[in-house]
Amino acid sequence: MFQLPSPLQPIENEWTKKFNVQVLVKRDDLIHPEVSGNKWRKLKYNIQEAMQQRKNTLLTFGGAFSNHITATAAAGKYLHLNTIGIIRGEEYDALNPSLQFAKQCGMQLYYLSRKEYKNLRENNFDINNINIDFNTPANDIYIIPEGGANEFALIGCSEIVDEINVQLKELNIPNFDFIFSACGTGATIAGISNRLQAPQKAIGVAVLKHETLKSEIMQKFPLLNTDFSIVEAHFGGYAKTHPELIKFIVNFQQQHHIPLDFVYTGKLFYKLFNLIETGYFPSGATIIAVHTGGVMNAKVA
């Protein structure tokens, strides 16, 4: 049911031809229909650790549109693990498709106000600081941080580069120069960066307003290779959009038959082709864009 390694798909258009660059898409969105993209990469070794500790309940955190929440719920369903999601924001009678899916997978949902959630984050997601009865013994709970961002996530995400290196050889492409990934918590770009060899460079496309994101990534993770940079394409903030972005997504999907969402991957490819258009990359460069999957209720038709 899992498609691993995920495909590496070359794409070509007027911009790649005009500026003489080669773009290949690492289709992690095809890993699994419900546990897709970097979410599976970040969950993989966390779940292995939970099983080794003989814990039967995964507890994690996220917003109402979180890919990580839905992926954790689906993984729990398939692996027969209980799941608990602590959701940022107020509860509504009509759940959005993401939360509805999580609930259908058996995830217990608990809601915190944005202020309470912020306090929880500032206390490193210590669940002892919140007044919730999970009806589950504490010693049965394995906690996965927001977005799955921990050292186990880095190990999983670093495997993206290992797979790409093998696939490039099969395509008779000697190497790549740049690798792009959408950036929320920063775990994916950190894991990718760990596997790069000079002069390769990783570029994270920030999809939310976060002026100190790179410094926080470097503080959070003991990076072996810090040759990465962060560029912005948040269009006003997380899950914010703009007619220009929607137009780009629709045109891209029609041309390349690759689905995008406006929260993560749409902004990733928008920024990538904006940089190509401005001559950011040297002629002859090979660029990898990691398609990390998408928010199920944010896809653009």
Side-chain angles (χ1 to χ4, degrees):
M1 200 167 188
F2 283 85
Q3 184 175 355
L4 289 166
S6 60
L8 187 64
Q9 177 180 337
I11 61 172
E12 187 178 78
N13 58 31
E14 60 180 308
W15 301 116
T16 62
K17 294 176 182 177
K18 180 177 179 180
F19 292 93
N20 189 33
V21 295
Q22 186 172 28
V23 175
L24 301 101
V25 183
K26 181 61 170 164
R27 296 291 306 274
D28 269 14
D29 57 308
L30 299 178
I31 288 177
H32 189 277
E34 295 173 346
V35 195
S36 73
N38 63 340
K39 304 312 172 188
W40 165 245
R41 305 273 188 189
K42 291 193 276 188
L43 284 171
K44 176 182 176 181
Y45 291 106
N46 272 292
I47 291 174
Q48 284 188 15
E49 179 66 16
M51 289 180 167
Q52 286 180 2
Q53 294 182 19
R54 299 185 181 277
K55 295 184 184 291
N56 297 308
T57 301
L58 307 176
L59 184 150
T60 196
F61 316 84
F65 296 91
S66 170
N67 283 335
H68 172 67
I69 289 291
T70 57
T72 303
K77 178 183 71 173
Y78 290 116
L79 297 173
H80 307 291
L81 295 169
N82 301 319
T83 55
I84 298 172
I86 298 178
I87 309 301
R88 181 182 67 249
E90 305 297 334
E91 181 177 5
Y92 293 93
D93 291 335
L95 297 179
N96 68 43
S98 291
L99 295 182
Q100 186 177 9
F101 172 82
K103 190 172 182 179
Q104 289 171 347
C105 288
M107 177 175 272
Q108 299 177 57
L109 301 177
Y110 297 89
Y111 298 83
L112 293 180
S113 69
R114 293 183 180 276
K115 182 178 180 180
E116 291 173 316
Y117 194 93
K118 181 181 179 182
N119 290 336
L120 182 64
R121 179 186 281 133
E122 291 173 351
N123 285 283
N124 295 316
F125 292 97
D126 182 355
I127 60 174
N128 293 315
N129 290 321
I130 55 177
N131 186 26
I132 297 178
D133 181 5
F134 298 115
N135 298 314
T136 302
N139 61 4
D140 190 48
I141 294 176
Y142 180 85
I143 297 176
I144 301 175
E146 185 180 36
N150 60 10
E151 65 275 12
F152 293 114
L154 260 64
I155 298 169
C157 291
S158 68
E159 293 177 349
I160 295 172
V161 179
D162 298 336
E163 292 178 12
I164 290 169
N165 289 336
V166 172
Q167 291 169 316
L168 287 177
K169 288 181 181 179
E170 293 171 351
L171 294 170
N172 294 318
I173 299 172
N175 216 328
F176 67 88
D177 303 295
F178 299 88
I179 184 166
F180 272 69
S181 177
C183 207
T185 62
T188 302
I189 204 68
I192 287 171
S193 179
N194 274 345
R195 280 291 200 273
L196 299 189
Q197 301 292 325
Q200 292 174 320
K201 188 171 183 180
I203 299 176
V205 179
V207 300
L208 69 166
K209 290 183 179 179
H210 204 321
E211 296 178 357
T212 61
L213 181 57
K214 181 172 181 177
S215 62
E216 289 190 17
I217 293 171
M218 294 175 68
Q219 282 183 340
K220 188 183 300 182
F221 304 114
L223 298 183
L224 300 176
N225 181 344
T226 59
D227 189 16
F228 72 96
S229 58
I230 301 295
V231 295
E232 290 188 350
H234 54 68
F235 287 87
Y238 182 73
K240 300 292 185 181
T241 189
H242 186 276
E244 184 179 356
L245 175 63
I246 298 301
K247 180 180 178 181
F248 170 84
I249 291 172
V250 171
N251 290 339
F252 183 91
Q253 291 178 164
Q254 290 175 345
Q255 184 171 9
H256 300 294
H257 308 290
I258 297 175
L260 303 179
D261 72 280
F262 63 77
V263 180
Y264 291 99
T265 54
K267 294 178 179 180
L268 165 73
F269 283 95
Y270 178 93
K271 188 64 178 183
L272 169 58
F273 281 97
N274 174 257
L275 290 175
I276 291 173
E277 187 179 359
T278 58
Y280 179 88
F281 304 101
S283 178
T286 297
I287 306 159
I288 307 292
V290 180
H291 191 311
T292 54
V295 179
M296 65 177 58
N297 57 343
K299 291 181 179 177
V300 177

